[in-house]
Amino acid sequence: MNSNYYAIIMAGGIGSRFWPISRTSHPKQFIDILGTGKTLIQNTYERFLKVCPKENIYVVTNENYTQLVKEQLPDMADNQILTEPVMRNTAPCVAYGCFKIESINPEASIVVAPSDHLILDENAFIAAIEKSLQKAAEHNCLITLGIKPSRPDTGYGYIQYTDQTIGEDFHKVKTFTEKPNVELARTFLQSGDFLWNAGIFVWSAKNIVAAFNSYLPDMHEIFADARSVYNSEHEKPHIHKAYQQCINISIDYGIMEKADNVYVLPSEFGWSDLGTWASIYDLSEKDYVGNAVIPAEKVIMYDSSNCMVNVPGEKLVILQGLHDYIVVESNNTLLICPRDQEQNVKQVVADVKQKFGTKYI
């Protein structure tokens, strides 16, 4: 196993679209949301154990989730858990992890990935990551993994690529497009040169540090100034103070959309970002009338079809006459809504917070 390979797992999100199961105090990356017996972050960590040494895996998360990370990933040392005092999107998160790794090993190649995605074909995923890490070590490039689209999905960002390549597989990126409307998504699909943006990045430590210097120089200065305190007792207080100076910006918008050395590897490994209840429904086992029930032990359904049901295992639940609904109960909260209106969940969370405070959030 290559000791120059590193992984950064981004685990700071609050997963509000999976409310009420996902709460601010216990978000979806720390939940076994698919009923597999392992949480999403545990599955992500175990995948990267096949890519790099365990001491080379880092988790960047909100300070409030430090104990959850320690409980769920007990093999991680304290200096591998990088905590953020406030949410500032993905660019500061990436900068923190990559500058820290660069201070330890300037020859590092790094994969950065979310903690809460599903990968069905693990072998294909590992092959794509290892190929990308090797390419990143050899070339002056920033790599992103693009998923070959199977439908005109409006919930994903899209990456357009050209015929210019490094080797045969890594194509130069032409454009990034945020979530398009369905007509535009259909056009992208028909053109054949667009991929879904999986939010998985690979680069060498020196190239991403240089990119911060070019495109986010203020952020570069903040984390470069911390080189003297990385891996010391002064790291956490220094970084937590520095974070207050960071702008709220994504790595996509801050660097990837601006840099001229971005390449994409078209990939197929059974990927889903598990962004909504609809994505969980699509991936779950269903009965003969299309109901997906997690867990199913004490749920009885009459004249009901195409429902997504997630309720506590000890609770007896009887549903009759429901078609195409989401039924979710957790944390003393019951949510029932049509599947085609699940995009309203974020607004529901905001309304609940306004009416009842943070007790149910």
Side-chain angles (χ1 to χ4, degrees), residues 141-167:
C141 61
L142 307 175
I143 295 169
T144 184
L145 270 58
I147 307 300
K148 294 177 182 177
S150 58
R151 60 188 182 276
D153 200 302
T154 59
Y156 298 143
Y158 285 74
I159 301 168
Q160 184 182 24
Y161 61 93
T162 70
D163 292 333
Q164 183 181 339
T165 60
I166 296 177

Side-chain angles (χ1 to χ4, degrees), residues 312-356:
E314 71 279 2
K315 174 154 285 194
L316 174 61
V317 176
I318 294 93
L319 300 174
Q320 182 166 2
L322 275 189
H323 304 278
D324 301 291
Y325 265 76
I326 295 167
V327 179
V328 182
E329 182 182 355
S330 185
N331 301 304
N332 202 28
T333 303
L334 174 64
L335 172 72
I336 302 172
C337 75
R339 275 177 46 213
D340 63 2
Q341 294 179 34
E342 69 161 1
Q343 67 274 13
N344 296 333
V345 170
K346 273 198 166 185
Q347 184 58 50
V348 169
V349 172
D351 293 342
V352 169
K353 185 176 181 179
Q354 184 178 18
K355 191 166 185 178
F356 300 106

Side-chain angles (χ1 to χ4, degrees), residues 191-228:
S191 74
D193 58 356
F194 282 83
L195 302 165
W196 287 335
N197 185 353
I200 301 169
F201 309 103
V202 181
W203 38 54
S204 68
K206 59 176 178 283
N207 281 334
I208 189 60
V209 166
F212 272 98
N213 192 35
S214 297
Y215 303 105
L216 292 172
D218 290 346
M219 200 171 292
H220 176 277
E221 184 177 350
I222 288 168
F223 289 97
D225 283 349
R227 284 191 174 115
S228 61

Side-chain angles (χ1 to χ4, degrees), residues 6 15 30 82 109 143 150 191 201 233 254 287-288 290 317 350 353:
Y6 290 76
F30 302 109
L82 314 187
S109 291
I143 295 169
S150 58
S191 74
F201 309 103
E233 61 183 324
D287 64 18
Y288 70 101
V317 176
K353 185 176 181 179

Side-chain angles (χ1 to χ4, degrees), residues 48 51 111 124-134 145 200 202:
F48 284 126
V51 173
V111 52
F125 173 79
I126 291 165
I129 296 298
E130 288 179 337
K131 184 190 293 187
S132 300
L133 286 164
Q134 182 178 352
L145 270 58
I200 301 169
V202 181

